[in-house]
Amino acid sequence: DAEITQSPRHKITETGRQVTLACHQTWNHNNMFWYRQDLGHGLRLIHYSYGVQDTNKGEVSDGYSVSRSNTEDLPLTLESAASSQTSVYFCASSPGRGTGNEQFFGPGTRLTVL
Amino acid sequence: KQEVTQIPAALSVPEGENLVLNCSFTDSAIYNLQWFRQDPGKGLTSLLLIQSSQREQTSGRLNASLDKSSGRSTLYIAASQPGDSATYLCALPAGGTSYGKLTFGQGTILTVHP
């Protein structure tokens, strides 16, 4: 069955370190998204991509970067981790342009920055 | 900017009750709306995607309605069960697209007690 996976599921790191969270989908979806979820703020968009070599900033993109070299993967990099980036991170994907674009989410990565 | 509000923030009901969760949005120029379920510590599971051309969408005991003109959607859960206990989120694609990044409501925490 097609799916979307994230790794690692849990990560503890130190302030200032570079961290990369992986997201892989097997649906051949064009669109991929990264969100973070925090108490009191709900789900907020970090970065998104509408296809290979396409990346766009979301509402909370500072300190994060993404790259899209193939259809299946959209890794999220924290350039220099900060305590404010402690959160649960969700990757999602959807087919592409047009109607009926149901978005599917991965299981999430819980990141703690000490 | 699209704003999404969910009422109530929390709901506790006895098993067997029929219940309604509400979602309102400020920009009625939407193509679709998606309802999700999130269990504690888990990812988001898509429940229903309702297109703007539809007034209702059904899946099992769930029924979602959409009224673009009034900026409202409701999720109706029939014959609630303890297994329905979760947070329910509604979300809409931003920027007047059918496929784009989602703007989420804050969610309704549902508890169904035996």
Side-chain angles (χ1 to χ4, degrees):
Chain A
D1 286 344
E3 61 178 354
I4 181 166
T5 57
Q6 295 183 235
S7 62
R9 297 293 313 281
H10 302 271
K11 174 79 175 176
I12 300 174
T13 191
E14 295 177 344
T15 302
R17 290 190 180 265
Q18 185 181 78
V19 176
T20 296
L21 308 182
C23 174
H24 179 80
Q25 52 96 5
T26 58
W27 278 301
N28 201 35
H29 284 168
N30 287 323
N31 300 346
M32 295 185 74
F33 308 86
W34 274 104
Y35 299 88
R36 60 178 288 177
Q37 187 176 37
D38 305 283
L39 281 174
H41 291 282
L43 280 145
R44 293 179 291 174
L45 183 69
I46 305 171
H47 281 287
Y48 60 102
S49 168
Y50 289 152
V52 176
Q53 302 301 332
D54 175 73
T55 61
N56 306 279
K57 294 181 178 180
E59 60 179 308
V60 289
S61 60
D62 287 348
Y64 303 94
S65 64
V66 293
S67 62
R68 187 91 181 270
S69 59
N70 59 52
T71 300
E72 297 81 15
D73 300 289
L74 187 70
L76 177 71
T77 297
L78 287 69
E79 304 293 346
S80 177
S83 57
S84 60
Q85 294 177 309
T86 293
S87 186
V88 181
Y89 291 85
F90 290 103
C91 179
S93 71
S94 66
R97 298 173 187 268
T99 59
N101 257 275
E102 193 170 2
Q103 206 164 116
F104 297 95
F105 280 70
T109 294
R110 184 173 296 274
L111 176 67
T112 302
V113 183
L114 301 175
Chain B
K1 178 185 174 184
Q2 180 75 271
E3 294 184 3
V4 184
T5 303
Q6 291 188 246
I7 295 173
L11 184 61
S12 180
V13 300
E15 181 176 5
E17 272 204 9
N18 302 323
L19 54 97
V20 174
L21 308 181
N22 296 292
C23 172
S24 62
F25 46 92
T26 55
D27 184 353
S28 62
I30 65 166
Y31 287 86
N32 56 57
L33 182 146
Q34 197 167 353
W35 282 94
F36 294 89
R37 168 188 173 135
Q38 186 175 28
D39 294 290
K42 304 292 186 182
L44 279 71
T45 299
S46 179
L47 297 173
L48 290 164
L49 174 72
I50 182 166
Q51 305 293 342
S52 61
S53 58
Q54 301 173 302
R55 292 195 63 86
E56 290 188 359
Q57 182 76 275
T58 297
S59 176
R61 293 183 294 109
L62 305 179
N63 176 277
S65 67
L66 177 62
D67 184 344
K68 279 181 55 177
S69 60
S70 66
R72 293 179 186 174
S73 176
T74 61
L75 179 66
Y76 176 83
I77 303 177
S80 59
Q81 303 170 358
D84 294 331
S85 298
T87 297
Y88 291 80
L89 297 146
C90 66
L92 302 91
T97 71
S98 65
Y99 55 85
K101 51 193 185 293
L102 294 176
T103 298
F104 284 85
Q106 293 292 320
T108 294
I109 301 171
L110 173 64
T111 303
V112 181
H113 47 88

